[in-house]
Amino acid sequence: MSLNLFKKKNDAKQSFFSVFDNNRFFIKMMFSASPSYVIYTALDGVRNELSIFLEHTLLIGYVLEAAEFNYPFKRVGLIILIAVLLISLGMVFTVYAGNYVAEKERPKVREGIKLKLYEKARSVDLECYDNPEFYNELVLSISEVDNRIDRVSAFLRGVCESITVLVTTGIYFLTKDGRSIIFVLVSFILMYIFSLIYNRLNYNAKISKNPHERERDYVKRVFYLNDYAKEVRLNTEVSEVLLQKFENANDEVYRSERRFAGKKFIVDFVRKHIFSNMLGDVFYISYLIYLATVPKTIALSALVILFNSFNRAVYGLKDLTDCYSTAAETGLYVQKIRNFLDYKLKVVSHGDAVPTASAKKVELKNVSFAYSSNPENVIKDISLTINPGEKVALVGYNGAGKTTLVKLLMRLYDVTEGAVLADGIDIRDYNLNKYRDSIGAVFQDFEIFAASITENVIMEQGDKADKDRVDKALKDSGLYDRVLTLKDKSDTQITNEFFDDGVNLSGGENQKLAASRVFYKDNSLMILDEPSSALDPISEYQLNQAMLKATSDKTVIFISHRLSTTRFADRIIMLENGKIVESGSHDELLKQNGKYAAMWKAQAGAYIKV
Ligand code: ADP
């Protein structure tokens, strides 16, 4: 099924083509964020190796040859001067490209790629976030971006360097002794094989550590994040359990490190030392001495430069194989990013209908729904009509399906069977963004953002605010008096995440702030999911009255465990196990003396007199 999006290609062995293609894809992403960064990185790699070739092979070779065959000093001096000038020009280019352009452009590359990923993360179906596998992979992909940009830049530069080394030394070998290339190729093939093994080991080691490292990070966060500080202090047993978890996770990380360390060491040793040293230093030098002394086909000055070039070619190839292993590792990560970016949204607009501003009529026709993680329906064949302007309360015990039902109304998920209609049109036929925009919602697990109070109300940049409407929204939610006590009033920053003088509001105040969003936004359908759960009974009563007043001409669906809140609804719908079991006004349902009445009696004593 589609949620296994990260399984698709990662587990398959990567072909050379997919390694190449994934790196090409990432370089293209970098290029679209900053073309100059990519171009200068590549050119600087070429420049670097051209300079080395010019100095170490051509210049030194020429000087040695001049000494061996007594060339005139003037000619030698002139050639040295030209070479020094060329090398200096190259240095100037490096300072410009490497130190100036790359530093200036790197943040642009990071921002460009991350924005693409965030944009996608924002739009993928909510269903994806219910899937831990998806979530882990997403977090891993995003957290790796900076690292990958550095690695891919190094890769690009490395490839350009290696290719320049191979082309220049290759030409040199062909002019002096073509057979030397065979020595170089043999080393290359052997090192390539071992690099692949090494790369796979590295990746497996990282993947096997990943779940335990995440566990470790979670415990670390619990101990230093403000949000957990109170609970951790009050519940010492929780701390014990977490510390135990931390130790276990550490042990697991250590165990997987140890499992791979030995193998990695041997493979690395063989590829780095045995091949290059054995083949290079022993066999090749013997071969060159033979050429210089027996058939006398090369001069002594050429012997020195050939040996030097051989080492450069071997190390150039070694770098290329190293580049390849980095590229293969990057390929696996990029594949995750590509799978993520390629993820086909399921909840998409099927039409382009635009919702009207007037109160919505909502109809559910034989709606059933199952979460993808569990085939059992949690909403079972519900049919229901909510008239424009009606205030409907959904009640029921935990797990009855209330939140799921409102998520279906908002099209955060699509129904498995049946249809939801708004003003007679299937909600799948609306433009998705416009449809969602037409609904105002406050959830029990609302989030307050590290931004100003005004921005938290309007959910946009502060300068787009209609000040009077913001004040009114804050008054309606009951937060206005508190805002007046703050130094910067509604410009006060919430949380001290970005500003030292930011204010942390209480749970109830935050809830009022979240409710202000609904008062500010002019929506034709309001969904209030436990909007007052953190408030004391009086504030709750006030907030509910304010909400009913502010939404008098809107269709409102609200969920609350506290029946004292829902009793004012025009109609109460009681859900149980994904089905409607009772429906009617508060008084009707009490008369019926069924499940709602039983629930009411259990709660009524708490704070409301009937
Ligand atoms: P309520 O809001 O009435 O407490 P919910 O709609 O949250 O009920 O839950 C209805 C059922 O769906 C429960 O059995 C719950 O465990 C299940 N459920 C809720 N969210 C998910 C999810 N994201 N993935 C799988 N099952 C879920």
Side-chain angles (χ1 to χ4, degrees):
M1 76 153 268
S2 67
L3 275 179
N4 286 336
L5 72 164
F6 290 117
K7 279 213 162 145
K8 280 192 292 189
K9 291 185 187 164
N10 287 339
D11 295 344
K13 246 184 156 185
Q14 280 198 108
S15 65
F16 180 79
F17 174 75
S18 65
V19 171
F20 172 80
D21 193 49
N22 283 335
N23 280 271
R24 181 199 57 80
F25 178 84
F26 201 78
I27 291 172
K28 210 171 122 198
M29 275 175 99
M30 288 166 61
F31 188 85
S32 57
S34 167
S36 54
Y37 178 81
V38 174
I39 292 169
Y40 281 111
T41 303
L43 282 184
D44 196 39
V46 174
R47 196 282 319 156
N48 188 34
E49 289 304 328
L50 275 183
S51 288
I52 295 174
F53 179 69
L54 182 64
E55 188 181 337
H56 290 223
T57 306
L58 296 186
L59 186 62
I60 296 181
Y62 180 75
V63 170
L64 289 178
E65 205 177 289
E68 192 177 0
F69 299 107
N70 289 323
Y71 291 170
F73 180 75
K74 255 193 179 165
R75 207 168 86 194
V76 177
L78 184 69
I79 286 193
I80 291 177
L81 194 70
I82 293 172
V84 168
L85 270 177
L86 286 175
I87 291 167
S88 306
L89 271 181
M91 292 289 182
V92 172
F93 176 80
T94 289
V95 169
Y96 176 72
N99 299 7
Y100 176 66
V101 179
E103 288 306 312
K104 186 168 70 78
E105 296 293 309
R106 188 179 283 118
K108 265 198 213 163
V109 178
R110 289 188 172 159
E111 190 189 327
I113 294 180
K114 280 191 184 165
L115 275 181
K116 256 201 186 108
L117 293 175
Y118 293 159
E119 192 57 35
K120 183 74 183 184
R122 194 176 67 91
S123 68
V124 294
D125 298 327
L126 193 66
E127 176 183 272
C128 297
Y129 287 86
D130 296 337
N131 182 322
E133 192 186 339
F134 171 91
Y135 195 68
N136 291 341
E137 301 284 7
L138 172 62
V139 170
L140 185 72
S141 308
I142 292 184
S143 64
E144 269 288 313
V145 166
D146 283 356
N147 190 8
R148 284 300 131 190
I149 290 172
D150 292 343
R151 298 272 204 117
V152 171
S153 307
F155 162 75
L156 180 64
R157 190 189 154 88
V159 167
C160 291
E161 283 180 345
S162 302
I163 289 175
T164 313
V165 169
L166 295 180
V167 170
T168 51
T169 52
I171 291 172
Y172 189 77
F173 285 135
L174 287 176
T175 58
K176 299 288 179 189
D177 173 59
R179 267 171 298 191
S180 298
I181 293 176
I182 295 170
F183 282 84
V184 174
L185 286 181
V186 170
S187 306
F188 170 73
I189 291 164
L190 290 172
M191 277 193 289
Y192 172 75
I193 292 168
F194 273 78
S195 287
L196 279 189
I197 300 173
Y198 184 75
N199 166 52
R200 177 50 64 172
L201 280 173
N202 236 350
Y203 180 73
N204 287 347
K206 183 142 194 178
I207 291 300
S208 94
K209 272 190 317 194
N210 194 27
H212 309 299
E213 281 182 336
R214 269 200 348 265
E215 214 168 34
R216 213 165 57 168
D217 285 350
Y218 170 72
V219 178
K220 200 165 74 186
R221 279 203 313 277
V222 169
F223 281 108
Y224 75 69
L225 281 186
N226 194 0
D227 306 2
Y228 297 94
K230 272 196 308 292
E231 306 280 353
V232 168
R233 272 150 194 73
L234 288 176
N235 300 292
T236 43
E237 270 166 36
V238 170
S239 309
E240 290 301 322
V241 172
L242 287 174
L243 284 175
Q244 190 57 46
K245 252 185 186 307
F246 185 71
E247 264 175 44
N248 293 348
N250 254 342
D251 288 348
E252 286 300 331
V253 170
Y254 174 67
R255 252 195 291 280
S256 56
E257 298 254 12
R258 220 177 38 184
R259 208 169 70 231
F260 287 97
K263 284 187 208 159
K264 272 167 65 179
F265 169 76
I266 292 170
V267 174
D268 201 31
F269 180 78
V270 171
R271 80 184 172 134
K272 273 189 183 149
H273 301 291
I274 307 265
F275 293 135
S276 57
N277 293 346
M278 286 275 292
L279 284 170
D281 294 353
V282 182
F283 290 115
Y284 188 60
I285 194 75
S286 313
Y287 167 72
L288 287 182
I289 291 170
Y290 166 79
L291 287 186
T293 53
V294 183
K296 294 195 170 52
T297 47
I298 56 168
L300 277 180
S301 51
L303 180 148
V304 174
I305 300 302
L306 272 172
F307 183 62
N308 191 17
S309 300
F310 175 80
N311 273 332
R312 261 177 41 79
V314 167
Y315 280 98
L317 284 169
K318 177 184 160 304
D319 289 345
L320 199 61
T321 56
D322 284 351
C323 280
Y324 184 77
S325 46
T326 313
E329 209 188 300
T330 299
L332 295 170
Y333 287 102
V334 174
Q335 190 59 55
K336 289 181 200 301
I337 290 177
R338 290 182 85 170
N339 291 343
F340 171 62
L341 290 174
D342 288 348
Y343 172 77
K344 293 263 173 305
L345 302 184
K346 286 191 202 160
V347 180
V348 289
S349 311
H350 293 257
D352 214 14
V354 177
T356 59
S358 56
K360 271 195 183 46
K361 176 180 180 188
V362 180
E363 291 163 273
L364 279 81
K365 293 199 165 159
N366 303 100
V367 168
S368 295
F369 175 75
Y371 285 101
S372 50
S373 55
N374 180 358
E376 202 191 322
N377 281 345
V378 292
I379 297 294
K380 295 165 187 160
D381 196 22
I382 288 188
S383 291
L384 168 71
T385 301
I386 300 170
N387 290 312
E390 203 180 356
K391 314 282 177 280
V392 169
L394 296 177
V395 302
Y397 294 100
N398 276 344
K402 306 180 293 290
T403 304
T404 306
L405 199 62
V406 295
K407 282 183 188 160
L408 293 176
L409 292 181
M410 287 185 279
R411 255 204 110 195
L412 292 173
Y413 295 85
D414 269 341
V415 297
T416 316
E417 277 169 55
V420 179
L421 275 62
D423 294 330
I425 299 175
D426 190 318
I427 59 173
R428 288 169 287 205
D429 292 333
Y430 281 104
N431 173 298
L432 182 63
N433 288 337
K434 288 186 182 147
Y435 176 72
R436 284 192 186 147
D437 262 358
S438 71
I439 300 173
V442 187
F443 295 104
Q444 51 182 326
D445 51 355
F446 59 88
E447 289 296 343
I448 296 297
F449 295 91
S452 74
I453 290 184
T454 299
E455 285 166 333
N456 264 293
V457 173
I458 69 171
M459 300 291 271
E460 277 193 85
Q461 290 284 352
D463 52 13
K464 303 225 171 83
D466 175 337
K467 187 106 189 50
D468 293 340
R469 268 174 62 210
V470 172
D471 286 351
K472 179 163 183 322
L474 290 168
K475 276 179 197 153
D476 285 344
S477 70
L479 192 65
Y480 192 63
D481 290 344
R482 170 80 170 109
V483 173
L484 290 183
T485 65
L486 301 171
K487 188 161 70 68
D488 297 323
K489 310 286 184 279
S490 55
D491 291 330
T492 304
Q493 292 291 326
I494 299 298
T495 80
N496 42 18
E497 187 104 15
F498 300 125
F499 295 89
D500 290 341
D501 58 352
V503 169
N504 286 315
L505 297 176
S506 72
E509 287 165 348
N510 278 333
Q511 202 155 39
K512 287 178 183 172
L513 183 56
S516 310
R517 289 174 190 157
V518 180
F519 294 125
Y520 184 83
K521 222 172 154 190
D522 194 21
N523 300 112
S524 51
L525 173 64
M526 302 284 183
I527 294 180
L528 313 168
D529 184 355
E530 300 269 11
S532 54
S533 58
L535 302 182
D536 58 78
I538 298 201
S539 306
E540 182 187 28
Y541 177 79
Q542 286 167 345
L543 181 65
N544 283 318
Q545 290 304 321
M547 282 205 186
L548 284 175
K549 204 169 116 217
T551 58
S552 58
D553 56 344
K554 317 265 166 155
T555 307
V556 183
I557 299 171
F558 57 108
I559 298 180
S560 179
H561 278 100
R562 300 195 199 171
L563 302 189
S564 52
T565 313
T566 52
R567 63 187 288 224
F568 302 106
D570 300 328
R571 185 154 44 126
I572 294 167
I573 290 168
M574 176 136 183
L575 290 179
E576 194 177 80
N577 201 15
K579 286 190 181 140
I580 298 178
V581 286
E582 285 178 17
S583 163
S585 71
H586 175 73
D587 293 337
E588 283 166 3
L589 291 182
L590 282 190
K591 265 196 213 116
Q592 211 171 303
N593 205 17
K595 295 188 171 179
Y596 176 81
M599 200 175 171
W600 169 258
K601 278 174 202 150
Q603 283 190 11
Y607 37 38
I608 288 277
K609 285 205 165 67
V610 198

